[in-house]
Amino acid sequence: MELNEIMALDKQYYMNTFGDRTPVAFEYGKGSTLYDKEGRAYIDFLAGIAVNSLGYAHPALINAIKEQADKFTHCSSLFYIEAQAALAKRLVEHSCGNRVFFCNSGSEANEGAVKLARKYFNRIGMNKYEVISAQNSFHGRTLAMVAATGQEKYQKPYLPLPDGFVNVPYNSLEAVERAITEKTCAVLIEVIQGEGGVIEGSMDYIKGLRQLCDSHGLLLIVDEVQTGIGRTGRFFGYEHYGIEPDVFTLAKGLGGGVPIGAIVARGKAAEVFDPGSHGSTFGGNPLACAAGCAVIDTLTAEGLVEGAEAKGAVFKEGLDKLRAKYPFIVDVRGKGLMLGLELDPSVSGRDIVRSALDKGFIINCAGRNTLRFVPPLVIALDEIKALLDALDEIFADCQKGNA
Ligand code: PLP
């Protein structure tokens, strides 16, 4: 199908929740590059929004998917599933967690984590159900996760939202402390807000949240949907802060492009879900879990987590140089290969995204006018350098236009 035909079908048949999509349809990808229907190459610094951790057509991922598909793609969790058990073991071995539950998306993982927190107290006869989360956060699109997501634009059309969620300012320990009541069961937090514009939780804040949860007997749930699976230069984002959450959630990069989500729980929290208390038809699906195993094994075999740290440092240094050169760049943030560059309102982030696309680079704009860079972890240093050069040219044009 030609791009025009796809666009016409989409317009007629698909619910438009995405506004004007970028008028590009990809045909295939290799490494960190996507090729569109006309054969044009784009180096991808978005990776399906922090999903395609191994880039495109990685042989390890393709082989794992093919091998599993050759056997069977789905099997009910009423039976034992080899890939499911194998992936759960890998996640536990790489983390502070003790047990895993698989689902299909980040929203579902977070929703399950909230159910786990409520049940944690319910099973000992305590009526604690409130979850404190942050303003400017993003935890997903189910009704409860819209309530947890502290952004009015996602909440307003769906009122009334489920009860039991309180959104307080990010990076303010006092705000969390003030919000704790006898009904509070958990704090749900991103250690780096992704969709909110790559905003890092401060060391004091994240460490303080752990202490607050300990002193009030609350569960600390870390949403690692975007920060997890090597993206920030550690296997999990919480590792940067020297803390261990009671529960953390995963999705995005875990399947390398195959849909999967996971709830990982530690200690007593790992013993909460018992027979009948939670479930999912597709959660822990053999195909998705085989992909997850291949992703984790490849991250380890190819040193991609350490690579994310090292390449991210070079990338950030390059962005910092641009910041020193162009006064309309107000901030550079992030860790590993989860970086953001905030522009002041005189420059439109969306225009920069378009200009980058014209030059053959895929980036996006998140939060408050912040360019977000979340490339595949296999991205090469010369690809990073190429983007930095392209941004330099684009920003130079902006400056001329602004002058
Ligand atoms: N949590 C975080 C931190 C996310 O970035 C996202 C998606 O962007 C989600 C949860 C929701 O994940 P999903 O879209 O897979 O439901």
Side-chain angles (χ1 to χ4, degrees):
M1 244 188 267
E2 298 283 319
L3 175 63
N4 281 346
E5 289 174 79
I6 301 170
M7 287 170 73
L9 288 182
D10 180 89
K11 192 162 187 230
Q12 187 169 358
Y13 295 112
Y14 201 72
M15 294 186 196
N16 182 7
T17 63
F18 300 98
D20 283 335
R21 300 203 212 206
T22 310
V24 175
F26 298 112
E27 190 68 10
Y28 67 98
K30 186 105 189 95
S32 296
T33 303
L34 277 167
Y35 297 85
D36 72 11
K37 294 235 155 221
E38 285 79 44
R40 225 190 132 201
Y42 304 82
I43 304 179
D44 185 6
F45 283 81
L46 185 57
I49 316 191
V51 169
N52 302 317
S53 36
L54 302 185
Y56 301 94
H58 194 294
L61 184 59
I62 293 178
N63 289 339
I65 293 170
K66 279 187 177 162
E67 258 176 45
Q68 186 58 53
D70 269 345
K71 295 181 194 162
F72 59 103
T73 54
H74 182 72
C75 163
S76 159
S77 284
L78 296 171
F79 299 89
Y80 291 97
I81 299 173
E82 183 178 345
Q84 192 180 96
L87 182 56
K89 174 174 186 277
R90 281 167 174 72
L91 287 176
V92 167
E93 283 176 353
H94 280 286
S95 76
C96 64
N98 299 109
R99 280 182 198 282
V100 182
F101 180 84
F102 291 114
C103 51
N104 308 288
S105 68
S107 307
E108 218 187 306
N110 287 330
E111 181 110 9
V114 168
K115 281 178 74 179
L116 188 153
R118 288 186 175 189
K119 189 168 188 292
Y120 181 92
F121 292 101
N122 175 278
R123 78 203 159 119
I124 49 170
M126 292 173 82
N127 182 27
K128 284 175 172 281
Y129 58 87
E130 256 172 26
V131 172
I132 300 171
S133 61
Q135 290 167 5
N136 197 49
S137 62
F138 191 81
H139 298 296
R141 301 281 201 156
T142 59
L143 266 184
M145 285 311 105
V146 165
T149 291
Q151 299 196 51
E152 201 190 344
K153 67 179 176 197
Y154 296 122
Q155 299 184 338
K156 219 172 163 187
Y158 302 107
L159 300 174
L161 295 173
D163 219 4
F165 294 89
V166 185
N167 311 141
V168 299
Y170 192 60
N171 268 330
S172 167
L173 261 189
E174 298 73 43
V176 174
E177 196 159 20
R178 268 198 307 274
I180 295 172
T181 70
E182 73 281 3
K183 298 291 180 210
T184 309
C185 66
V187 175
L188 168 63
I189 210 79
E190 294 159 274
V191 290
I192 304 174
Q193 291 187 328
E195 204 269 349
V198 192
I199 303 197
E200 295 174 66
S202 73
M203 185 62 84
D204 286 351
Y205 178 60
I206 303 296
K207 275 187 182 298
L209 286 180
R210 179 66 278 176
Q211 282 161 9
L212 259 187
C213 286
D214 285 342
S215 58
H216 288 81
L218 312 176
L219 295 188
L220 179 62
I221 305 171
V222 174
D223 178 343
E224 293 269 3
V225 168
Q226 196 159 148
T227 48
I229 310 296
R231 170 138 311 275
T232 68
R234 299 281 186 280
F235 234 96
F236 303 105
Y238 66 77
E239 293 172 36
H240 289 284
Y241 298 87
I243 60 129
E244 293 188 343
D246 301 292
V247 180
F248 64 94
T249 54
L250 299 168
K252 289 194 182 279
L254 176 57
V258 180
I260 185 169
I263 305 165
V264 186
R266 181 175 68 87
K268 282 193 207 149
E271 307 301 327
V272 172
F273 280 155
D274 51 8
S277 55
H278 195 50
S280 165
T281 297
F282 289 120
N285 166 289
L287 193 72
C289 288
C293 287
V295 166
I296 291 185
D297 292 348
T298 307
L299 291 184
T300 312
E302 297 187 4
L304 292 174
V305 183
E306 301 77 11
E309 184 175 33
K311 289 182 282 191
V314 174
F315 197 168
K316 200 170 184 183
E317 201 183 302
L319 295 175
D320 277 330
K321 281 193 186 140
L322 292 175
R323 183 186 176 186
K325 194 164 166 187
Y326 298 101
F328 49 78
I329 300 176
V330 294
D331 202 8
V332 169
R333 299 184 289 263
K335 294 189 190 320
L337 289 173
M338 181 174 177
L339 298 174
L341 178 150
E342 186 176 336
L343 299 160
D344 76 18
S346 71
V347 174
S348 153
R350 279 173 218 298
D351 288 350
I352 307 284
V353 169
R354 225 165 295 128
S355 303
L357 192 79
D358 289 343
K359 287 183 180 290
F361 296 92
I362 302 170
I363 58 174
N364 95 323
C365 187
R368 208 183 41 211
N369 218 19
T370 297
L371 302 179
R372 174 172 48 175
F373 310 103
V374 282
L377 305 189
V378 296
I379 194 89
L381 276 176
D382 59 356
E383 292 170 321
I384 292 173
K385 173 82 176 57
L387 174 72
L388 290 167
D389 290 346
L391 287 174
D392 198 1
E393 284 174 22
I394 295 168
F395 291 149
D397 284 347
C398 282
Q399 198 160 38
K400 275 186 229 147
N402 284 344

